[in-house]
Every structure is written in C-alpha cells, then in structure tokens.
Amino acid sequence: MSHSQEDLRGIQSARLDAFKQREAERYADARPQTLARLQSEKGSFLDDVPMHWMKDWPMPFPMLVSHAKGARLVDLDDNAIDDFCLGDTGSMFGHSPDPVARAIAAQADQGLTYMLPTEHAFEAGRLLTEKFGDFRWQIATTASDANRFALSVARAVTGKPKVLVFEGCYHGAVPDVMVTLENGETKPRPGLTGQVVDLTELAICAEFNDLDSVEAALKSGEVAAIITEPVLTNSCMVLPAPGFHDGLRKLATEYGALLIMDETHTISSGLGGYTGVSGLDPDIFVVGKCVAGGMPTAVWGMRQSLADAYTTYDANRPGGHSGLGTTLSANPMQFACLRANLSEVMTAEAYAHMEAGAERLAQGLQDVITRVGADWHVVRVGARVEFICAPGPLTSGTQARTAHAPEIEAAMHVGLLNRGCLIAPFHNMMLVSPVTENAQIDRLVAAFDDIMTELFEG
C-alpha cells in the first residue's frame, strides 16, 4: 500500500512502509522449514488452517509451534521466543504448569470423558468457591458456552428478552452480544457470518463508564441482564471510572436485571479476578481460558438466590432439552486440571510475581514512549499490559475503537516477533506469567525500544 509522507500516529508513513517490508522479509527468511511445510500441506483445512483465526495474525504466514514450556515457545525452525501472548490468556499461568501436566498424566489412563462426575469434581467446586466467591457452579468447555448458558438462565428467570452489552465488549462467540453503537443507536456488528436474526431484538448496546446510557436502556423494562467485562480488554483497554461498577450493581437491582461479570480476560487482575480484588457483587460470575491451566474449561456460577429461582423455573418448564450444556463439558480431565490449577498454580504468590513483572513491563514501555515523544500510553490491569497508539486514558468503547491503529500494530507485532517476543495478535496485549523472568521482560522492552527508535527517530 502506498502512502504520502503524512504522519500516522506520529510515524512517517514511508518509514512505516519500509519497516513493514523489511520485517516481513526478515520473518520469512527465519522460517524456511515452516513455509515449506505450510506449502506442502495445502488442501486439508479450510483456507489451510484448522481454525480461521490462525490466519488473522499479522505475521506474513502462520508460525508453526514445535513446543512450549513456561513462558517460552519454539517454532518449527527452532526459533526460541519469549511468549507474552500465552494463548491470549489461555496459558496465562505458563505453558503446561507442572501440577496440571501431572494431573493430565494421572487422569489419562482412567478415562477422558463419561458424562458423570468424579471425586475431583467436588474438590474443584470447593476450590472455585474458595477462589472466586459463593456461587453455585456449572462447568463448560469455553467461556463462549458459559456466557450463552448464563444469558439463557437470565432470560428464563426474569422473563425478559434482551441483554445489555457495552460498545467494544468481548464475550466470545456469543451471537446475542454482537452489536455496536452507531450514532447512539444499537446496530448489528458488521461482517457477521451467516447472521439472519435481527440482533437488536436480543441486545441493546450502551457505552462503558456511562451510567446514564445504562439507565436509559434499562428503563425499557426489556433487559434481562447486563453482561460486562470489569475492564474492556479486547479493543484497547478501558478501565472503569470510579463508582461505575457500584452504579451498575445499583441500577441492575433497581430495574430487575441480573449482573453478569465475564472475567475471562480480567482474571489477570489478581487472585479472585477483578471481582475478588475490587469487591464486586455480580449475580453470575464467568471465567474461562486459563482457569484449568490451559485445559479447555470454563466455569459459570450463580448466587444462591438466583440458583433457587432457576431451580424453581426448571422444575416447572415443559419437558425437553434445556439448551444448556454440551456432551464433553464437565469431563474428568477438566476436573483434574481445575483441582491442580486452583490449588497449586493460581496462588497469591503467583499473582504477586505476575503483578511485579507486569509493573516492570508497563514502566519500561512507558519510558520508551516518553523518550521518543510518542503521544501513546500504556495501561495495566494486574498481569495484563497493553500499549495503545493514542493518548490516554480511554474512557469508552467508542474511544477505544478510534484509538486502534491496525497498520502500526501489525507492523510492530511482526517486528517484536523478529526480535524474539510474541504478543497477542488482535491488539497490543502482553501477559506476565508466574514463570516469566525479568530477563524476558527486559528483552521485550529492549525490542520495543529498538522498534520505536527506528519508527520515530529514523
């Protein structure tokens, strides 16, 4: 793509183009075996990858991973890489934590799934309550599933049809929440595949940190639940304003809506997630990704009063399939991994290490931004850090959308990878795990410094 010489977020466009070209060539030169393997295997998968997101990374072609352990991974061409993406939170506690790996090995020859509980299940339930609060738990395979089930329960108990979501939110592959704000009106998000239902019949969109917009939506009397991340995390991080979560709780109670906290990303906030650290009081709590140490698992829990209301509803509904649950959910491997991860990996000591490392990373990145004079900023939530190519702080999803700079972010992603550092592909997110070393953090800061110096100073 050609550009004039205008600045793009403080970077001369021609300089960015030259950088992108060099980094793409450098990436390809370092991965001849990977490229040959990809070319030899064309035809087995749709678009040549087993899951289409794998083509959405900004690298010129997918990187094939050979193995990973701790906070490092090695690709097919034997390039060793410091991993700050960590499966986009799925491996936030490191790749294959030893207690989880041992639990997998122990369970492997005792059966993988039988649609019945094990003794591990009850210990996992006790640990979930110990870590996250007094909820009545259910096990799912992904947080997308858990969110769908939670919304079904909310609609069943309240008898209301709609869910309130926030502009810029991320709740997985849940069709009901795929709406956006356009000139203050709720519209379906563009680009949805095969969408035939008018999503505005199912959801209404409000602005994060705007309690007036929340109350205006609730006044319709149609909202069964407010579902939110405690922090917007998937489109340039947006922190909650003081009093915002207290206001949500108050408004939800006043207007007869349930409050659902999706902590799938903000589990990085500390032990117990943002809910535990900040003393929030949701009706339903959802977390997935890393909760079982990387084994595909999600959990969702209801307060006792809501569980009682749902039990009454369930006893009186017509017979037939509830639409909740999937065959492979709550399998014995999940319980074994949950028990190991919650008891031995997800500890206060682990989070203390993560917090200290993330603060080191955030300060290092901000120092570089300040030194080169970029009008950018860094934001951190516990172990989760993001550099944002715009002034901050951001206060809404709409601001986050306009702060996103895909062309710069894609170039920097490949540049960092060429310097031995992997960050999340769809935004500039970095995670510090319990096994991430200061030397790795310092290498990432140095790589960022090298790139920023080239882009801003030539």
Side-chain angles (χ1 to χ4, degrees), residues 19 152 435:
F19 176 83
S152 292
V435 291

Side-chain angles (χ1 to χ4, degrees), residues 152-167:
S152 292
V153 166
R155 288 174 170 134
V157 170
T158 65
K160 299 176 182 181
K162 290 190 176 183
V163 55
L164 188 153
V165 302
F166 291 105
E167 172 65 25

Side-chain angles (χ1 to χ4, degrees), residues 281-418:
D281 183 24
D283 299 296
I284 300 178
F285 179 96
V286 176
V287 67
K289 296 211 182 193
C290 63
V291 71
M295 176 60 63
T297 305
V299 301
W300 58 290
M302 297 174 273
R303 294 295 189 193
Q304 183 65 63
S305 59
L306 176 58
D308 291 343
Y310 176 69
T311 299
T312 299
Y313 165 86
D314 194 45
N316 291 284
R317 68 178 176 86
H321 198 290
S322 68
L324 305 183
T326 58
T327 303
L328 296 178
S329 293
N331 66 66
M333 190 64 81
Q334 290 176 312
F335 293 132
C337 292
L338 271 169
R339 181 176 183 175
N341 193 62
L342 293 172
S343 61
E344 299 183 65
V345 180
M346 188 189 294
T347 65
E349 293 78 13
Y351 272 107
H353 176 93
M354 294 158 71
E355 287 264 356
E359 177 57 31
R360 182 186 187 100
L361 175 58
Q363 188 60 58
L365 297 176
Q366 187 61 61
D367 287 347
V368 172
I369 288 170
T370 300
R371 183 184 62 76
V372 301
D375 200 8
W376 299 8
H377 73 288
V378 175
V379 62
R380 179 174 78 87
V381 175
R384 189 182 185 93
V385 179
E386 187 169 343
F387 66 85
I388 297 172
C389 309
L394 306 175
T395 61
S396 71
T398 296
Q399 283 188 3
R401 182 173 56 191
T402 59
H404 194 43
E407 190 172 3
I408 297 172
E409 292 158 9
M412 294 194 69
H413 178 97
V414 178
L416 289 170
L417 183 52
N418 286 338

Side-chain angles (χ1 to χ4, degrees), residues 31-45 48 61 64 76:
R31 291 170 176 81
Q33 294 184 62
T34 295
L35 185 57
R37 183 65 168 157
L38 289 168
Q39 291 174 339
S40 71
E41 290 298 323
K42 286 185 177 294
S44 298
F45 291 109
D48 302 317
F61 51 83
L64 298 182
L76 190 65

Side-chain angles (χ1 to χ4, degrees), residues 57 84-85 387 413 416 421-425 427-430 444:
W57 289 72
F84 291 89
C85 175
F387 66 85
H413 178 97
L416 289 170
C421 305
L422 183 70
I423 68 172
H427 40 90
N428 310 317
M429 187 277 293
M430 295 148 282
L444 175 54

Side-chain angles (χ1 to χ4, degrees), residues 111-444:
L112 301 180
T113 189
Y114 16 84
M115 212 165 68
L116 288 167
T118 65
E119 191 173 6
H120 283 310
F122 299 104
E123 180 63 11
R126 183 190 70 77
L127 287 166
L128 285 169
T129 297
E130 178 184 291
K131 297 291 184 180
F132 299 117
D134 188 17
F135 297 93
R136 297 299 164 268
W137 298 101
Q138 289 282 275
I139 309 299
T141 302
T142 71
S144 296
D145 291 336
N147 282 326
R148 279 193 290 267
F149 304 153
L151 292 178
S152 292
V153 166
R155 288 174 170 134
V157 170
T158 65
K160 299 176 182 181
K162 290 190 176 183
V163 55
L164 188 153
V165 302
F166 291 105
E167 172 65 25
C169 70
Y170 180 71
H171 301 293
V174 181
D176 304 38
V177 306
M178 296 294 184
V179 292
T180 188
L181 279 177
E182 290 184 8
N183 299 318
E185 293 188 15
T186 302
K187 301 286 185 182
R189 290 188 185 181
L192 296 173
T193 300
Q195 184 61 48
V196 295
V197 175
D198 180 2
L199 294 179
T200 63
E201 296 296 317
L202 303 175
I204 185 166
C205 196
E207 282 284 15
F208 195 76
N209 282 328
D210 185 348
L211 291 174
D212 289 340
S213 72
V214 172
E215 185 165 22
L218 292 174
K219 282 181 176 178
S220 70
E222 298 180 300
V223 175
I226 302 167
I227 184 170
T228 185
E229 307 166 87
V231 176
L232 291 187
T233 61
N234 213 56
S235 59
C236 301
M237 278 204 291
V238 179
L239 301 179
F244 176 65
H245 284 303
D246 288 342
L248 282 185
R249 177 67 275 173
K250 180 179 178 181
L251 288 172
T253 301
E254 181 178 349
Y255 287 95
L258 300 180
L259 181 59
I260 303 172
M261 284 291 165
D262 180 357
E263 292 256 21
T264 300
H265 283 164
T266 53
I267 191 174
S268 67
S269 302
L271 197 61
Y274 199 100
T275 293
V277 171
S278 300
L280 306 186
D281 183 24
D283 299 296
I284 300 178
F285 179 96
V286 176
V287 67
K289 296 211 182 193
C290 63
V291 71
M295 176 60 63
T297 305
V299 301
W300 58 290
M302 297 174 273
R303 294 295 189 193
Q304 183 65 63
S305 59
L306 176 58
D308 291 343
Y310 176 69
T311 299
T312 299
Y313 165 86
D314 194 45
N316 291 284
R317 68 178 176 86
H321 198 290
S322 68
L324 305 183
T326 58
T327 303
L328 296 178
S329 293
N331 66 66
M333 190 64 81
Q334 290 176 312
F335 293 132
C337 292
L338 271 169
R339 181 176 183 175
N341 193 62
L342 293 172
S343 61
E344 299 183 65
V345 180
M346 188 189 294
T347 65
E349 293 78 13
Y351 272 107
H353 176 93
M354 294 158 71
E355 287 264 356
E359 177 57 31
R360 182 186 187 100
L361 175 58
Q363 188 60 58
L365 297 176
Q366 187 61 61
D367 287 347
V368 172
I369 288 170
T370 300
R371 183 184 62 76
V372 301
D375 200 8
W376 299 8
H377 73 288
V378 175
V379 62
R380 179 174 78 87
V381 175
R384 189 182 185 93
V385 179
E386 187 169 343
F387 66 85
I388 297 172
C389 309
L394 306 175
T395 61
S396 71
T398 296
Q399 283 188 3
R401 182 173 56 191
T402 59
H404 194 43
E407 190 172 3
I408 297 172
E409 292 158 9
M412 294 194 69
H413 178 97
V414 178
L416 289 170
L417 183 52
N418 286 338
R419 290 158 178 80
C421 305
L422 183 70
I423 68 172
F426 311 128
H427 40 90
N428 310 317
M429 187 277 293
M430 295 148 282
L431 281 166
V432 173
S433 79
V435 291
T436 302
E437 299 173 356
N438 284 344
Q440 293 178 289
I441 294 168
D442 293 344
R443 284 196 292 267
L444 175 54

Side-chain angles (χ1 to χ4, degrees), residues 439-455:
Q440 293 178 289
I441 294 168
D442 293 344
R443 284 196 292 267
L444 175 54
V445 172
F448 183 76
D449 194 346
D450 186 52
I451 293 169
M452 293 291 280
T453 298
E454 179 171 350
L455 292 177

